[in-house]
Amino acid sequence: MKKFLSIVTSGTLALLMATTSVVTSFAYDGNDDSAKATDAVSLEVVSDNTIPAEEPTGPNETVPTVPCEPTINYPQINRFSNNATGTKISWNSYSGAVKYRVYVFNGKSWSRVGESITTNFTHTSLRDGVTYRYTVRAMDKNNKFVSDYNKDGYSNTFFAPPVISSLQNVFGGVTVKWSKNSAINSYRIYRKTKNTGWKRIGNSDNGSFTDTTAESGISYTYTLRALDAENNFVSYYNDGKSVTYVKTPTINKIENTATGSKISWGKCNGASKYRVYYLQNRSWKALGNTTATSFTHDKLKSETKYTYTVRCLDRKGNFASGYDKNGTSNIFLNPPTISSLANINGGVEIKWNTLKDADSYRVYRKTKNTSWTRIGNAESNTFKDTNVKSGTAYTYTIRCIDKDGNFASYFNNGKSITFVKTPSIVKVENTAAGSKISWEKCNGAAKYKVYCLDSNKGWKALGTTASTSYTHDKLVDGTTYTYTVRCLDSKGNFASGYDKDGTSNTFIAPPAISKVSKAENGNLVEWNSVPGVAGYRLYRKTVNTSWSKLADVTEGTSYVDTSAKKDNVYSYTLRCLDKNGNLISSYISNTKYYHNGVLADGKITVNGQTYNFAKGLFRSGYQKINGKRYYYNSKGVVVKNTIVGSKREGWYYADKNGVCCESEEMRLAAEYMMTYCKGDTLDEKMKSGFLYMAKNFPYNRTYDHPKKASDLPALAIDLFKNKKGNCFRYAAAFACTARIAGYRSRVVIGDVLGSPHGWTEVLVNGEWLICDPDAQLPGYKAPDYKPYMMKKHYWTLNPHVKCEVTIENGKAVWK
């Protein structure tokens, strides 16, 4: 901005053009009694330098002076300085002057504005932006003018100190605003704190300036000075305006959690709280306030972009900072949901829903004894965990990963499964009945289901087993079968995968001995050829030995057993061999015995022991001979003096001659003892049976009291079948068990103080002892076995009839 200073010399007006220069200094003006910063209007241009450190009192400048005019007979104004209250006019001293009178031109004439005994005067109450013209005249002590005056005067435009209209904490600093005067070229901004003086922080050619160097939590005071085009000061400054700067919160992280997005930012000194916003329909919508430096926005829509910003509040809830108008964006992703967990061959297969904004996925696992552990990444929505132990329960969860390898989602509680490994078939053996498939035990499996591959229908279930082997029977000799096994849980559901390729085996039926005959030096053993085998292994056993290898035959289908001894009994069997000498078939175990080269038949005594044969095989199980039932063991020997048979075949008592007692009461007594009675011997079973009968077969009152021995068998039968009865039935039934145990036993029909009663007596060491199951009933609360083998009953017994039971020629006889 150009200014003109008018100088009058000897009646001649000289018009000089002067340029005002703003100087950023804090120099003290010695002519100013107030010791405040001054401004100057001068012809000299002063460079704009950094504020010197030794002048800390306020925004100031170095003021150039107006050169004196030669042969001038009036005070010459050499400087103007706009200050806070007006314009300070300075002039050179005039010889003979005691004081000076200052005038301002009012547009028509000069008007007196004041007097000064010094060489300066401040004209106050001026209007901002108005140009005033001044002149000065010297006076003596009598108030007489002693000088002329410059009739054109000296001009200066007054600019009041700029007034800050607002201080605002914005994103990135403090924005200082004021009303810009169109006559002002630019402004210089100053700042101070309680610990520092005024410091220049920058220039602005409009009505605002943002202080980007402010520190959060610190109180700053700002003021301004106006500059002309040459950066000379044209205004003073005022006390300014203060604000505590609180920086705009900077969002440094947004994490997707299980419930929403967690927005985090750095702490802002000076903030009491923070208000979080998100962008909705192009407008910021408040989410909530917090004193923490994080906030979780929940109930979000997955795979949706949200933009957030944060603003500081003071303790009254007013805004204390700016905010990031652009905000920080984040795509919310729900934790991936596992859709399925499946035990497959080799591990656990995890599948989950695909999220389009996920670049990849990270898979985690935990057990009841471990925390979440990362186990791998996947680019698709499927992962196979191969590092698992059968029988262990695992829980899996997934997190989304972005392209930079950062988490893009949280995780949920996951989904659990007990891993049960796929059964691994370790062996397939050809047995006599078929192919026996064996596999490793799989912890966590309740059962196993075995499958065979059908070329037309795929895998066909063969059966279920709780063991680790299964025999596939009814196979076709020479046919190849492929098997796989799958685990089941306790409910019969699949608990594992399965080997889709399976394990194959060619079934070779056990080869059969076709003929055994007497040879010149032993037994000649012959068999039929089996296609596809490389040889045979021949085994032999006797009645007293198990199978032992006799020879491997790789040529032909016969072998002469030269080690066979005369009058001994031998049996032979075969197994097939492959080219490597491995066994590839089972053997027939129940082969026939030969005696001196012919089938063993009838009674044959070997080493003093007599064995019973029937066409080469031991007589075994029940056999009817001459109308009597006998029981032969697996060696063809008649079993005697014990209970024989099985649950499938039925139970009988075989006497000292091996004849089985076929009377119904004795058959049921044998069945009762083998089903309900504990013990390794018949005597132990009898004692156990006494207590079991009393405690588990309830008393049932009837009035068909027996009168003679022939009445008793039906009572014993009734108790064994219906499992309840009265004292006579207990006595008859227990007499049967005592007889089977080897005791002489009898039923006594009598009374107790006139009431009918029956009991059992057994002969022990020549003395008949009382056994009364009825007296052991729970209702009597008698100690266990107290009424067993008593010499004297604790009741008063009166016997009437005594009926002994014996076994003769396979029949029970009561008499």
Side-chain angles (χ1 to χ4, degrees):
M1 180 183 74
K2 299 291 184 178
K3 290 190 181 233
F4 295 93
L5 181 66
S6 298
I7 303 173
V8 179
T9 307
S10 301
T12 303
L13 178 64
L15 183 62
L16 299 176
M17 182 179 289
T19 304
T20 303
S21 177
V22 179
V23 182
T24 54
S25 69
F26 289 84
Y28 169 69
D29 184 3
N31 293 320
D32 189 349
D33 294 335
S34 66
K36 290 186 177 180
T38 59
D39 299 86
V41 177
S42 173
L43 294 177
E44 181 183 357
V45 177
V46 181
S47 63
D48 187 3
N49 296 320
T50 304
I51 301 172
E54 67 271 21
E55 299 170 345
T57 57
N60 211 330
E61 74 286 341
T62 301
V63 183
T65 59
V66 180
C68 294
E69 302 176 50
T71 61
I72 293 178
N73 60 349
Y74 54 83
Q76 182 181 3
I77 294 176
N78 57 27
R79 189 164 80 181
F80 289 109
S81 177
N82 289 333
N83 56 40
T85 59
T87 298
K88 179 181 179 182
I89 307 136
S90 299
W91 55 87
N92 60 303
S93 62
Y94 190 84
S95 178
V98 174
K99 59 181 179 180
Y100 301 90
R101 185 168 291 171
V102 182
Y103 298 85
V104 65
F105 192 72
N106 60 17
K108 295 181 179 180
S109 62
W110 293 102
S111 297
R112 173 180 171 181
V113 294
E115 293 180 355
S116 174
I117 60 174
T118 66
T119 57
N120 60 71
F121 176 83
T122 298
H123 184 197
T124 61
S125 302
L126 306 184
R127 289 185 295 164
D128 186 34
V130 175
T131 300
Y132 295 86
R133 185 147 49 101
Y134 300 94
T135 192
V136 179
R137 198 168 186 179
M139 302 177 72
D140 62 15
K141 63 182 180 179
N142 298 314
N143 289 326
K144 300 294 183 179
F145 292 119
V146 293
S147 76
D148 203 348
Y149 65 95
N150 186 336
K151 295 180 174 56
D152 289 322
Y154 303 84
S155 296
N156 176 69
T157 302
F158 173 73
F159 290 100
V163 177
I164 294 174
S165 58
S166 69
L167 292 177
Q168 186 177 8
N169 289 334
V170 298
F171 181 54
V174 177
T175 295
V176 186
K177 290 188 176 181
W178 60 91
S179 295
K180 186 181 185 306
N181 189 327
S182 60
I184 302 299
N185 185 73
S186 63
Y187 299 85
R188 181 156 294 163
I189 301 94
Y190 297 84
R191 183 185 80 187
K192 72 176 179 178
T193 69
K194 67 178 182 179
N195 297 320
T196 65
W198 289 111
K199 179 181 178 181
R200 169 187 172 183
I201 58 172
N203 287 7
S204 172
D205 57 5
N206 54 42
S208 68
F209 177 85
T210 298
D211 178 9
T212 60
T213 63
E215 296 182 16
S216 191
I218 296 178
S219 180
Y220 294 96
T221 301
Y222 294 88
T223 194
L224 307 170
R225 295 192 76 171
L227 301 174
D228 63 15
E230 283 74 32
N231 286 332
N232 297 312
F233 289 119
V234 294
S235 82
Y236 200 62
Y237 65 97
N238 55 30
D239 292 337
K241 197 169 186 178
S242 299
V243 69
T244 297
Y245 173 63
V246 180
K247 71 177 181 179
T248 297
T250 300
I251 294 175
N252 50 38
K253 183 166 62 174
I254 301 179
E255 302 171 278
N256 289 331
T257 69
T259 59
S261 292
K262 180 181 179 183
I263 307 108
S264 300
W265 56 89
K267 180 180 179 181
C268 300
N269 292 331
S272 293
K273 293 183 180 180
Y274 304 90
R275 183 167 292 168
V276 185
Y277 297 81
Y278 80 103
L279 196 61
Q280 185 183 59
N281 299 325
R282 298 183 180 180
S283 297
W284 292 108
K285 181 178 180 181
L287 290 173
N289 295 350
T290 178
T291 57
T293 55
S294 65
F295 183 90
T296 297
H297 184 198
D298 55 9
K299 298 180 181 179
L300 305 185
K301 185 177 180 181
S302 188
E303 299 183 271
T304 301
K305 183 178 179 180
Y306 294 87
T307 303
Y308 301 96
T309 195
V310 184
R311 198 167 187 178
C312 297
L313 303 177
D314 62 20
R315 66 177 181 273
K316 295 181 179 180
N318 300 317
F319 292 128
S321 78
Y323 65 97
D324 180 1
K325 296 181 180 179
N326 294 322
T328 302
S329 297
N330 176 68
I331 296 175
F332 175 70
L333 298 178
N334 271 328
T337 301
I338 293 175
S339 56
S340 70
L341 291 177
N343 289 329
I344 61 173
N345 188 16
V348 177
E349 183 181 67
I350 307 113
K351 290 186 176 181
W352 57 89
N353 61 306
T354 302
L355 297 170
K356 64 181 181 181
D357 293 295
D359 187 70
S360 61
Y361 304 89
R362 185 159 294 163
V363 187
Y364 295 82
R365 182 186 79 187
K366 71 175 180 179
T367 67
K368 66 177 182 179
N369 297 319
T370 63
S371 56
W372 289 115
T373 303
R374 170 185 173 183
I375 59 173
N377 285 9
E379 293 185 357
S380 66
N381 64 332
T382 303
F383 183 84
K384 182 178 178 181
D385 182 10
T386 59
N387 185 27
V388 285
K389 293 182 179 179
S390 191
T392 301
Y394 296 97
T395 302
Y396 295 91
T397 194
I398 315 293
R399 293 190 79 170
C400 296
I401 305 296
D402 63 20
K403 63 182 180 180
D404 299 318
N406 300 314
F407 290 124
S409 81
Y410 202 63
F411 60 94
N412 53 30
N413 293 331
K415 199 169 185 178
S416 300
I417 189 173
T418 297
F419 172 66
V420 180
K421 71 177 181 180
T422 298
S424 177
I425 294 175
V426 295
K427 183 168 57 175
V428 181
E429 302 172 276
N430 289 327
T431 69
S435 291
K436 180 181 178 183
I437 306 109
S438 300
W439 54 90
E440 295 176 344
K441 181 181 178 181
C442 300
N443 292 333
K447 293 183 180 180
Y448 305 90
K449 183 168 281 190
V450 185
Y451 296 82
C452 182
L453 188 61
D454 187 308
S455 58
N456 297 319
K457 298 180 181 180
W459 292 108
K460 180 180 178 182
L462 295 176
T464 301
T465 178
S467 69
T468 55
S469 65
Y470 182 89
T471 298
H472 184 200
D473 56 8
K474 300 178 181 179
L475 305 184
V476 178
D477 191 22
T479 301
T480 298
Y481 297 87
T482 302
Y483 302 99
T484 196
V485 185
R486 197 167 188 181
C487 297
L488 304 177
D489 62 19
S490 58
K491 296 181 180 179
N493 301 316
F494 291 128
S496 78
Y498 65 97
D499 180 1
K500 295 180 181 180
D501 296 326
T503 301
S504 298
N505 176 69
T506 300
F507 175 69
I508 304 294
I513 302 293
S514 59
K515 183 179 180 183
V516 175
S517 58
K518 186 171 179 57
E520 183 178 349
N521 54 349
N523 291 333
L524 174 62
V525 185
E526 300 177 78
W527 58 88
N528 296 325
S529 176
V530 178
V533 303
Y536 309 87
R537 181 162 292 168
L538 181 64
Y539 298 84
R540 185 184 73 180
K541 72 176 179 177
T542 68
V543 292
N544 296 315
T545 63
S546 57
W547 291 113
S548 62
K549 176 182 174 182
L550 187 60
D552 284 349
V553 180
T554 57
E555 295 183 4
T557 56
S558 64
Y559 179 81
V560 177
D561 179 11
T562 58
S563 62
K565 296 179 180 180
K566 184 181 179 181
D567 294 331
N568 207 342
V569 177
Y570 297 98
S571 182
Y572 299 92
T573 194
L574 296 164
R575 294 186 78 173
C576 296
L577 301 173
D578 63 14
K579 62 182 180 179
N580 297 318
N582 299 314
L583 296 168
I584 56 174
S585 80
S586 185
Y587 61 94
I588 299 172
S589 60
N590 190 26
T591 55
K592 295 180 178 181
Y593 285 93
Y594 295 86
H595 182 244
N596 296 327
V598 297
L599 283 174
D601 200 44
K603 293 184 178 181
I604 299 176
T605 301
V606 179
N607 297 327
Q609 176 67 49
T610 299
Y611 302 93
N612 293 278
F613 292 94
K615 297 180 180 179
L617 298 175
F618 284 122
R619 285 185 180 273
S620 62
Y622 292 114
Q623 299 286 331
K624 278 279 189 177
I625 301 175
N626 297 326
K628 296 180 180 179
R629 186 188 298 269
Y630 296 87
Y631 190 83
Y632 293 86
N633 65 15
S634 60
K635 295 291 187 180
V637 177
V638 176
V639 182
K640 303 175 183 179
N641 286 323
T642 191
I643 298 173
V644 297
S646 65
K647 184 177 180 180
R648 180 179 59 82
E649 299 171 296
W651 303 103
Y652 288 90
Y653 171 71
D655 66 12
K656 61 182 180 179
N657 298 313
V659 179
C660 296
C661 183
E662 297 188 85
S663 296
E664 181 69 357
E665 66 269 30
M666 287 298 173
R667 186 190 71 78
L668 291 173
E671 182 179 280
Y672 169 76
M673 294 176 76
M674 296 304 292
T675 304
Y676 300 108
C677 304
K678 298 178 181 180
D680 296 327
T681 67
L682 291 178
D683 191 69
E684 291 172 348
K685 288 182 180 295
M686 177 191 73
K687 185 175 181 180
S688 171
F690 174 85
L691 191 63
Y692 187 89
M693 188 179 294
K695 291 194 173 183
N696 295 280
F697 290 5
Y699 184 86
N700 184 48
R701 185 178 297 280
T702 59
Y703 297 95
D704 52 346
H705 304 319
K707 295 180 175 55
K708 56 186 181 301
S710 59
D711 295 336
L712 297 174
L715 300 182
I717 292 170
D718 184 60
L719 184 83
F720 286 132
K721 285 187 174 181
N722 296 313
K723 299 179 176 56
K724 62 183 179 178
N726 59 11
C727 60
F728 295 106
R729 284 169 169 77
Y730 291 134
F734 184 72
C736 293
T737 62
R739 180 63 192 87
I740 288 175
Y743 292 92
R744 283 183 64 186
S745 64
R746 65 190 184 190
V747 175
V748 181
I749 303 171
D751 66 78
V752 175
L753 299 177
S755 296
H757 185 60
W759 63 91
T760 308
E761 293 182 350
V762 296
L763 186 64
V764 180
N765 297 325
E767 183 179 9
W768 288 97
L769 302 179
I770 298 170
C771 292
D772 190 356
D774 182 67
Q776 183 72 72
L777 292 177
Y780 295 115
K781 298 182 180 180
D784 287 354
Y785 298 112
K786 182 179 181 181
Y788 180 75
M789 298 292 186
M790 297 185 293
K791 290 185 178 182
K792 186 178 180 180
H793 206 296
Y794 53 81
W795 293 340
T796 302
L797 301 180
N798 182 26
H800 298 165
V801 180
K802 298 179 180 181
C803 307
E804 185 175 354
V805 60
T806 60
I807 297 175
E808 301 174 11
N809 296 317
K811 299 294 181 181
V813 178
W814 296 80
K815 57 183 178 181

